[in-house]
Amino acid sequence: MIGKGALLECLDHDVIGEVLVIGRNSNGMKHPKLKELIHLDFTNFSIVQNQLAGYDACFFCLGISAAGLNEEQYKRITYDYTLALARTLFEINPQITFNYVSGQGTDTSEKSRMMWARVKGKTENDLLNMGFKQAFMFRPGMIVPLRGIKSRTKSYQFMYDYFMWLVKLTKAVSPNSVVDTTQLGSAMINSMLRGYSEKILKPKDIIILSK
């Protein structure tokens, strides 16, 4: 959901000349700026390293719910996949901007009782310590999907289908606690173009950076 939001904003942005989407399957979209790289092993990007050169930013939007997963399973997708790509990109271009979609409640002390918060915390820490010229951790909280975007997580889409009124009420009461997919995409692009004073971006930061 967040990935598609970022992709649509990138394709619409005048400054961006090319977008490479890495996935296991084609997303079915066609656009003059869009290139796709079908890659099955997200623990190893060395064999496609040459195809990753020359880009100014990576917007890492892959994620999964921790529901029903043990720590090893969740860590493989959340930490191992992320760091595998980040290390490859750092090796070929440490000047790249690396944006990671994390989550509200992430624990950078890595001591939380919540397994997902510890794993995301370690992921954030290792990305920020890798040495990229710019790296930003996006913690969006509640997200409103725009432009016809649907969530692949059934429980999330159920909430959007039946409880969007609650999300809108939260937005009305606390405007800086809810972001939409367009704001997320715009903020990612602007982080690459002009940077930001904070490395960990909460909803209010995302809204500010999106403008």
Side-chain angles (χ1 to χ4, degrees):
M1 185 178 72
I2 297 174
K4 187 168 185 180
L7 173 59
L8 292 175
E9 298 311 307
C10 287
L11 294 177
D12 287 348
H13 202 285
D14 292 340
V15 172
I16 296 176
E18 182 177 291
V19 182
L20 175 68
V21 175
I22 305 173
R24 289 195 177 93
N25 304 288
S26 173
N27 64 18
M29 291 180 64
K30 301 295 181 184
H31 192 281
K33 293 183 183 180
L34 181 61
K35 291 178 65 177
E36 279 193 313
L37 172 58
I38 306 302
H39 183 64
L40 300 181
D41 184 4
F42 274 39
T43 63
N44 181 9
F45 290 89
S46 61
I47 61 173
V48 294
Q49 182 171 315
N50 291 340
Q51 298 179 64
L52 306 179
Y55 291 93
D56 299 298
C58 173
F59 300 162
F60 195 93
C61 302
L62 183 152
I64 191 171
S65 169
L69 300 180
N70 61 37
E71 186 160 349
E72 182 180 355
Q73 293 169 324
Y74 184 72
K75 180 177 177 292
R76 176 177 173 80
I77 296 169
T78 302
Y79 178 84
D80 295 349
Y81 288 2
T82 309
L83 270 292
L85 179 58
R87 288 178 181 127
T88 300
L89 290 175
F90 183 75
E91 181 181 341
I92 61 178
N93 183 13
Q95 300 302 305
I96 200 171
T97 295
F98 195 99
N99 286 347
Y100 173 65
V101 178
S102 186
Q104 288 278 53
T106 294
D107 176 32
T108 50
S109 77
E110 304 179 31
K111 296 178 181 179
S112 174
R113 293 181 180 180
M114 295 183 291
M115 175 270 288
W116 72 265
R118 293 195 307 272
V119 174
K120 280 190 175 289
K122 178 172 177 54
T123 306
E124 284 190 0
N125 288 337
D126 287 3
L127 289 172
L128 289 171
N129 291 328
M130 192 168 292
F132 286 110
K133 181 180 178 181
Q134 291 194 128
F136 300 100
M137 310 296 109
F138 281 69
R139 298 185 183 180
M142 274 193 178
I143 304 166
V144 177
L146 301 181
R147 303 184 67 175
I149 294 172
K150 301 286 185 180
S151 173
R152 289 185 179 180
T153 304
K154 292 181 179 179
S155 59
Y156 291 173
Q157 190 56 48
F158 177 85
M159 183 189 75
Y160 292 131
D161 289 340
Y162 295 98
F163 295 99
M164 183 54 73
W165 62 270
L166 182 58
V167 177
K168 291 180 178 178
L169 177 61
T170 303
K171 178 71 172 176
V173 174
S174 180
N176 290 327
S177 65
V178 180
V179 301
D180 60 51
T181 49
T182 295
Q183 289 172 321
L184 273 164
S186 296
M188 287 193 174
I189 294 168
N190 288 336
S191 73
M192 171 188 68
L193 294 177
R194 63 175 188 249
Y196 193 67
S197 58
E198 303 294 330
K199 298 301 181 185
I200 295 177
L201 280 65
K202 297 178 181 179
K204 184 178 180 179
D205 300 298
I206 294 169
I207 293 169
I208 291 170
L209 189 53
S210 71
K211 296 176 181 177

